[in-house]
């Protein structure tokens, strides 16, 4: 029987003790299964608990019917403009109006001197009477067969010629007074008392500003959506707004711009809208469902599209591309949204598409 060496046994006990102490220290240090958190949660659980859900202000919007308008710039034009010219020659003895004054139809603008027209009228009337007597005598002689039918015809021709001359003199006299052919404003008056004018000489320029025309050019794509008689809105450069009726849509486009002339007739009884003003035209195109919102809700997508950020049923952020229907003092009308939509009104720039948020209802003002 072999005996145990006491020295070998002593060394084995020492090594076993050292290993036991090392195991205890290792287990106590938390190396088995990873270092636990103070709360006992795993790292993934701790990350979730530390996640913060952002808060945003929201408001529910509901759609309404709105007329989509085509906005473009045009200019005002007089509905009528005429150059008044002399139809006979003569010296101007009266200028009855001033430049810029308003006249009614039939008002006297300018008078020319009669000169020898009164004498020529008396002579023409006397000649008519002479040939009238001669014609009557020729008729009586012809009935008694003392005068041939040829001489009777000559007498009648002389009478008719005299009447024509009398009518010409009377017409020339009427032409010495120039009347306004319609009501309007005297825009030009280049003559003065004492001036001598020939026939066709310019006397005045008369323009009619009621109604005033607002003229614009629309593209071939938009022309088909416009309707004659539809009501349109205008705004002149100083901010005044009026409404009118689409009175003309050209059927012939410009060969250079491929656009079509559109005229809107706007009542202008006081003549306070002048010709040649730059004017914004808003023409009705179609009726659509749209939402009235503040421009502050608009934002841009990563691709540069204009839209608004809304929430879905899970309170996650959704981007909605929109189109502008109209811009009014109350706000902008936007199309392309659901009939009822929850829009982020405050904080939309600080949240991402698909991110979950905590909505707070906007406090009414």
């Amino acid at each position: 029987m072999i005996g145990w060496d006491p020295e070998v046994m002593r060394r084995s006990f020492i090594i076993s003790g050292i290993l036991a102490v090392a195991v205890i220290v290792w287990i106590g240090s938390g190396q088995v299964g990873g270092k636990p958190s103070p709360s006992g949660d795993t790292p993934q659980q701790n990350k979730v608990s530390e996640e913060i859900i952002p808060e945003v202000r929201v408001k529910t919007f509901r759609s309404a019917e709105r007329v989509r308008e085509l906005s473009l710039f045009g200019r005002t034009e007089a509905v009528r403009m005429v150059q008044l010219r002399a139809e006979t020659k003569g010296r101007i003895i009266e200028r009855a109006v001033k430049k810029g004054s308003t006249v009614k139809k039939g008002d006297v603008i300018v008078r020319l001197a009669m000169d020898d027209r009164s004498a020529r009228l008396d002579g023409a009337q006397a000649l008519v009477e002479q040939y009238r007597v001669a014609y009557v005598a020729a008729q009586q002689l012809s009935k008694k067969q003392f005068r041939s039918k040829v001489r009777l015809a000559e007498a009648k021709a002389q009478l008719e010629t005299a009447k024509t001359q009398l009518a010409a003199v009377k017409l020339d006299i009427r032409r010495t007074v120039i009347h306004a052919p319609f009501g309007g404003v005297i825009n030009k008056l280049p003559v003065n008392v004492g001036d001598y004018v020939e026939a066709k000489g310019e006397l005045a320029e008369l323009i009619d500003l009621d109604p005033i025309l607002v003229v614009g050019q629309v593209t071939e794509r938009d022309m088909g959506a416009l309707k004659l008689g539809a009501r349109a809105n205008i705004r002149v450069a100083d901010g005044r707004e009026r409404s009118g009726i689409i009175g003309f849509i050209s059927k012939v486009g410009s060969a250079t711009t491929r656009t079509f002339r559109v005229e809107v007739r706007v009542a202008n009884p006081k003549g306070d809208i002048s010709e040649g003003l730059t004017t914004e035209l808003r023409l009705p195109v179609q009726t659509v469902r749209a939402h009235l919102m503040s421009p502050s809700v608009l934002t841009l997508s990563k691709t540069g599209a204009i839209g608004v950020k809304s929430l879905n049923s899970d309170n996650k952020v959704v981007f909605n591309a929109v189109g502008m229907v109209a811009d009014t003092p109350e706000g902008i009308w936007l199309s392309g949204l659901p009939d009822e939509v929850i829009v982020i009104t405050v904080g939309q720039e600080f949240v991402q598409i698909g991110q979950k948020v905590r909505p707070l209802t906007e406090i009414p003002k």
Side-chain angles (χ1 to χ4, degrees), residues 208-355:
D208 185 1
L209 297 177
D210 185 27
I212 191 78
L213 295 182
V214 182
V215 179
Q217 300 289 332
V218 300
T219 64
E220 51 191 343
R221 181 187 63 184
D222 295 319
M223 187 194 69
L226 302 179
K227 303 296 181 184
L228 285 174
R231 183 160 293 277
N233 296 310
I234 72 158
R235 179 164 56 195
V236 294
D238 59 8
R240 286 177 295 168
E241 295 192 3
R242 301 280 180 87
S243 63
I245 299 296
I246 298 178
F248 174 76
I249 303 174
S250 177
K251 297 299 183 181
V252 179
S254 168
T256 55
T257 63
R258 299 295 181 184
T259 56
F260 295 78
R261 179 184 173 98
V262 175
E263 295 178 0
V264 176
R265 301 169 70 91
V266 179
N268 189 31
K270 296 181 180 180
D272 53 342
I273 299 180
S274 303
E275 188 193 39
L277 296 178
T278 299
T279 310
E280 180 186 0
L281 269 170
R282 299 194 299 277
L283 307 175
V285 177
Q286 63 181 146
T287 301
V288 297
R289 301 290 297 183
H291 297 74
L292 177 62
M293 300 182 184
S294 168
S296 63
V297 304
L298 294 177
T299 186
L300 294 177
S301 69
K302 292 182 179 179
T303 59
I306 299 177
V308 298
K309 288 179 179 178
S310 64
L311 299 184
N312 62 15
S313 58
D314 296 328
N315 287 338
K316 290 185 178 181
V317 180
V318 178
F319 180 82
N320 303 269
V322 298
M324 184 176 295
V325 175
D327 184 3
T328 66
E330 296 78 20
I332 53 176
W333 288 85
L334 303 175
S335 63
L337 295 169
D339 283 342
E340 185 173 305
V341 61
I342 301 175
V343 174
I344 301 175
T345 57
V346 179
Q348 66 269 32
E349 299 298 337
F350 304 102
V351 293
Q352 303 299 320
I353 307 303
Q355 183 178 4

Side-chain angles (χ1 to χ4, degrees), residues 100-119:
S101 60
T102 301
V103 297
K104 298 178 181 179
K105 180 180 179 179
D107 285 354
V108 175
I109 307 297
V110 171
R111 292 182 189 272
L112 302 181
M114 286 286 290
D115 295 332
D116 64 342
R117 290 179 176 85
S118 296

